[in-house]
């Protein structure tokens, strides 16, 4: 006896195949979610409030921050709302590229009276300066400054 392939047979194969695919994906998704630890804080509301308070304090400083590299020197210019140079405490600074983490530099800044400078040896391209500063009153200031360094 010869069986013919009808539309119902094709539909049954289609439903069966997709049931297996969806079942496997749901199983993997539930297992992945079960391993996610969530936020590392006890209370996400408290964390969000601390973030908002830190951002408000940082915005209250009114600092304008810029960075350039000229002649092998990284110049970090920070001015307040009145345009007066500011000398913050550098907690941490990292100059690097997203694709070349091994080449990250932690510049040692020194105050010149108008800006913070540090000797650096960088190649042309796109770099990012991640700053973690502290104001005189203890306000934390974190900023990411993208820079494009051109060939000399």
């Amino acid at each position: 006896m010869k069986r013919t392939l009808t539309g119902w047979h094709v539909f049954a194969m289609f439903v069966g195949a997709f049931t297996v695919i969806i079942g496997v994906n749901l199983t993997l998704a539930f297992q992945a979610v079960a391993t996610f630890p969530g936020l590392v804080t006890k209370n996400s509301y408290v964390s969000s409030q601390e973030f908002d308070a830190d951002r408000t304090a940082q915005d209250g400083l009114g600092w304008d921050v810029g960075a350039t590299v000229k002649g092998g020197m990284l110049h970090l210019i920070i001015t307040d709302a009145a345009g007066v140079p500011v000398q913050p405490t550098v907690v941490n600074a990292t100059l690097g590229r997203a694709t070349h983490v091994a080449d990250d530099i932690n510049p040692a800044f020194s105050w010149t009276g108008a800006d913070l400078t540090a000797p650096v040896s960088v190649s042309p391209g796109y770099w990012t300066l991640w700053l973690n500063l502290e104001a005189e009153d203890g306000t934390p200031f974190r900023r990411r400054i993208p820079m494009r360094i051109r060939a000399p």
Side-chain angles (χ1 to χ4, degrees):
M1 181 168 159
K2 190 175 184 181
R3 295 188 112 188
T4 59
L5 184 63
T6 65
W8 287 107
H9 292 115
V10 173
F11 178 72
M13 288 186 292
F14 180 80
V15 168
F18 270 92
T19 301
V20 170
I21 291 170
I22 291 171
V24 168
N25 281 316
L26 285 173
T27 301
L28 292 174
F30 281 114
Q31 288 178 350
V33 168
T35 62
F36 180 67
L39 291 174
V40 187
T41 62
K42 292 181 180 179
N43 186 330
S44 61
Y45 177 76
V46 172
S47 295
S48 69
Q49 298 307 303
E50 290 173 3
F51 174 82
D52 288 341
D54 288 346
R55 184 187 61 206
T56 302
Q58 180 173 308
D59 290 344
L61 293 172
W63 287 358
D64 184 31
V65 181
T68 60
V69 175
K70 292 180 186 172
M73 295 296 285
L74 172 61
H75 298 274
L76 180 61
I77 301 110
I78 304 171
T79 56
D80 62 10
V84 178
V86 176
Q87 181 185 2
T89 302
V90 178
V91 176
N92 186 16
T94 304
L95 178 64
R97 292 177 160 180
T99 57
H100 297 84
V101 178
D103 297 336
D104 283 1
I105 302 166
N106 293 323
F109 286 103
S110 60
W111 179 249
T112 65
D115 63 357
L116 292 163
T117 60
V120 293
S121 177
V122 293
S123 59
Y126 291 99
W127 291 78
T128 302
L129 179 62
W130 290 274
L131 292 173
N132 185 2
L133 308 173
E134 190 173 287
E136 288 181 7
D137 63 358
T139 303
F141 185 87
R142 292 173 186 88
R143 186 65 47 101
R144 178 186 155 273
I145 303 171
M147 299 186 312
R148 182 172 183 190
I149 299 173
R150 300 184 189 277

